[in-house]
Amino acid sequence: MKSAGTQVHHLDGVRILDLFAGPGGLDVAAHFLGFKSIGIEWDRNACETRYAAGLPTIHADVSVMRESRFDEIPKSVDVLAGGPPCQSFSVAGKGAGRKALDTVEEFIHRLVDGENEARIDKDLHALGDSRTALVLEPLRWLLKAIETEGRDPYKVIVLEQVPAVLPLWEVYAKLLRSGEGRLNGVKYEADFWELKTERFGVPQTRTRAVLVARLPGLGAIKPLETTHLPFELHRGRRNASQAEMLPDSSPSSGTKPRWISMAQALEEASKPKESTLNVARLRTDGELKFFVVSNYGSGGDSKNRGRRLSSEPAFTVTGKISRNKVYRSIAEYDAGKHDRFSIEESGVLQTFPHNFPWSGNDRAQQVGNAVPPRLGMHVLSMALRGKAPADEELTAAATWPTVPGATTEALREIGCGDRSQCPPESHKVTRSRRKSAP
């Protein structure tokens, strides 16, 4: 392991704790805003991406860290952020969390009222989907900070999830405003919204439920001001054989620019000299013109695949984005000849820098699980500074700084150490069996 001095150096000045950190969407946002963060992430592959990107990380289970390793979190942390895994609440999933919204709300009140946590955990386990219980973890971390001697309540709380969780954020907000029960009189200013990512310059349509809470004295919480127009999809039935699928027919109007299209985002990301994006393959007559056929069905019909033009925002970027099919022309569509977005291109559609060092396996899943950094910049900037990010900060977010290999190794030592405290079997290496000697 590295020396304690090296570890302190890398964790010096950390302000933001990112629960369920993934590959670093919120952490990337924090970096470009000038704030240092540390993330907790159980997936080894996402951790490898974070180490390569120079993002301080603890490879661990969020619940285990809270229960038995809470003292390892730097005392400089005064912002709690996170997006609990959303699969059980997502429209794309089986929806166990959506069905259990009332039950989870009951658990929130039970936690704050001071009921025995072992019993609560037992009842949560009976729900049958452990991910549903994870939406309670931010509250449990807040209660832990309030009840731990030598710790102060977090000054700011930022949470994000799929839209189905908005009713739970409303419950959170009411409790945080009340200061009741185990909150020990600690009250927050709190508000929550449903945000559409394309309205903040993210080149995809994606809706998120966001909660922001701050201790009194930091100023009233203002709704985020959108920067772009909403994307209004014409619901008329599209025919892949129609040539008009390709032209750009959505000009800007009013005082705000229109949403950012896939072509705009990819074209811009390919401009830096160090960019490795191979967008030339998607050009037609010198322009980026293509259309995308989704891996998901549309209108309840699994065979009716949705389509988006290059002049439109991408579909919501999920862990299955690598299954979307990209066509340059109707002729290619008719011939069944398609392309796919690369991991780097998929990351750009999530607003990660073009040169972000995606590492480990399951990279498409990492990309899909992340918070779009550009949205994160708007949310964090409003939560921490009471204003939108500066244009120069948003511009700088296009390129990630080079991270020395020594930094990556030092962060891996901090995050994994001798691996004994990492999630069970997360570092297990499967080896082929040798045949027995005859």
Side-chain angles (χ1 to χ4, degrees):
M1 292 184 66
K2 298 292 182 183
S3 69
T6 302
Q7 294 195 25
V8 170
H9 172 73
H10 283 293
L11 301 186
D12 249 6
V14 168
R15 281 200 62 194
I16 301 172
L17 171 62
D18 186 5
L19 306 178
F20 314 104
L26 280 177
D27 305 77
V28 168
H31 167 83
F32 286 114
L33 293 175
F35 298 104
K36 194 169 181 179
S37 63
I38 183 169
I40 301 175
E41 175 54 46
W42 72 272
D43 179 68
R44 179 178 63 83
N45 296 306
C47 286
E48 284 302 317
T49 292
R50 293 177 61 85
Y51 300 147
L55 299 173
T57 307
I58 299 175
H59 182 196
D61 179 273
V62 165
S63 301
V64 171
M65 285 299 300
R66 171 179 52 80
E67 292 167 357
S68 60
R69 302 175 59 189
F70 190 78
D71 62 339
E72 296 180 33
I73 303 301
K75 290 187 178 181
S76 57
V77 166
D78 61 2
V79 179
L80 180 68
C86 67
Q87 290 89 339
S88 61
F89 293 95
S90 174
V91 173
K94 295 181 179 179
R98 297 197 309 278
K99 297 173 184 175
L101 280 175
D102 290 341
T103 304
V104 175
E105 179 178 342
E106 177 188 336
F107 282 118
I108 291 175
H109 286 286
R110 288 170 64 181
L111 277 171
V112 173
D113 290 342
E115 187 174 331
N116 179 275
E117 290 207 27
R119 180 173 180 177
I120 291 176
D121 287 334
K122 181 179 179 181
D123 291 347
L124 281 168
H125 182 72
L127 290 177
D129 189 335
S130 59
R131 296 171 303 181
T132 301
L134 295 178
V135 77
L136 300 175
E137 278 299 326
L139 175 60
R140 298 179 105 165
W141 275 81
L142 171 59
L143 296 176
K144 184 83 171 185
I146 290 174
E147 297 171 345
T148 299
E149 186 176 351
R151 294 277 178 166
D152 294 321
Y154 301 109
K155 292 180 180 178
V156 179
I157 300 170
V158 176
L159 305 177
E160 69 84 35
Q161 251 277 10
V162 292
V165 176
L166 203 64
L168 295 185
W169 287 170
E170 182 176 8
V171 176
Y172 260 64
K174 288 179 180 178
L175 285 171
L176 291 173
R177 293 171 190 147
S178 75
E180 296 175 354
R182 291 174 63 192
L183 292 170
N184 289 339
V186 178
K187 296 182 180 181
Y188 287 83
E189 302 278 352
D191 207 349
F192 53 94
W193 314 276
E194 188 173 279
L195 304 178
K196 294 183 178 296
T197 57
E198 82 273 14
R199 303 209 67 184
F200 295 91
V202 178
Q204 64 169 297
T205 53
R206 186 188 195 107
T207 305
R208 306 303 291 179
V210 173
L211 176 142
V212 172
R214 296 195 302 205
L215 290 176
L218 299 178
I221 296 174
K222 301 176 183 177
L224 277 69
E225 184 176 344
T226 60
T227 58
H228 291 70
L229 297 174
F231 174 66
E232 302 292 345
L233 179 66
H234 298 294
R235 295 295 177 182
R237 200 177 188 86
R238 284 176 175 165
N239 187 326
S241 65
Q242 294 176 338
E244 61 263 32
M245 284 193 72
L246 293 176
D248 182 342
S249 58
S250 304
S252 174
S253 63
T255 57
K256 293 180 180 178
R258 68 167 196 169
W259 28 262
I260 304 296
S261 71
M262 290 183 279
Q264 285 175 279
L266 294 174
E267 186 75 78
E268 194 64 29
S270 69
K271 288 180 179 179
K273 291 182 179 180
E274 69 274 19
S275 176
T276 59
L277 266 63
N278 178 29
V279 298
R281 74 191 195 287
L282 300 176
R283 294 190 191 280
T284 300
D285 297 329
E287 293 185 54
L288 279 182
K289 285 190 175 181
F290 56 86
F291 61 93
V292 180
V293 178
S294 173
N295 177 60
Y296 294 102
S298 178
D301 182 357
S302 61
K303 296 181 180 180
N304 181 27
R305 307 295 185 180
R307 299 182 179 89
R308 288 281 174 91
L309 313 184
S310 56
S311 58
E312 298 174 330
F315 297 105
T316 297
V317 175
T318 72
K320 302 294 189 294
I321 187 172
S322 59
R323 298 183 185 181
N324 290 351
K325 297 179 180 179
V326 183
Y327 301 91
R328 287 189 308 168
S329 65
I330 302 304
E332 286 189 352
Y333 179 86
D334 290 339
K337 181 182 178 181
H338 65 267
D339 206 327
R340 309 256 189 204
F341 287 128
S342 68
I343 293 299
E344 291 74 20
E345 290 164 346
S346 301
V348 166
L349 297 179
Q350 276 281 50
T351 63
F352 277 88
H354 67 88
N355 61 334
F356 195 69
W358 300 101
S359 304
N361 298 320
D362 298 329
R363 297 183 185 183
Q365 194 66 50
Q366 290 184 50
V367 174
N369 286 347
V371 177
R374 190 178 181 101
L375 177 67
M377 289 180 71
H378 280 275
V379 174
L380 286 178
S381 185
M382 183 59 70
L384 300 179
R385 307 189 300 195
K387 61 182 181 180
D391 289 342
E392 53 267 29
E393 291 173 328
L394 294 171
T395 300
T399 302
W400 193 247
T402 300
V403 176
T407 297
T408 294
E409 286 303 316
L411 290 176
R412 187 179 288 114
E413 287 290 342
I414 293 171
C416 290
D418 62 4
R419 302 181 178 180
S420 64
Q421 297 192 87
C422 293
E425 299 192 348
S426 61
H427 290 278
K428 184 178 180 181
V429 177
T430 303
R431 295 183 175 85
S432 58
R433 294 182 178 178
R434 287 187 177 184
K435 293 183 179 180
S436 300

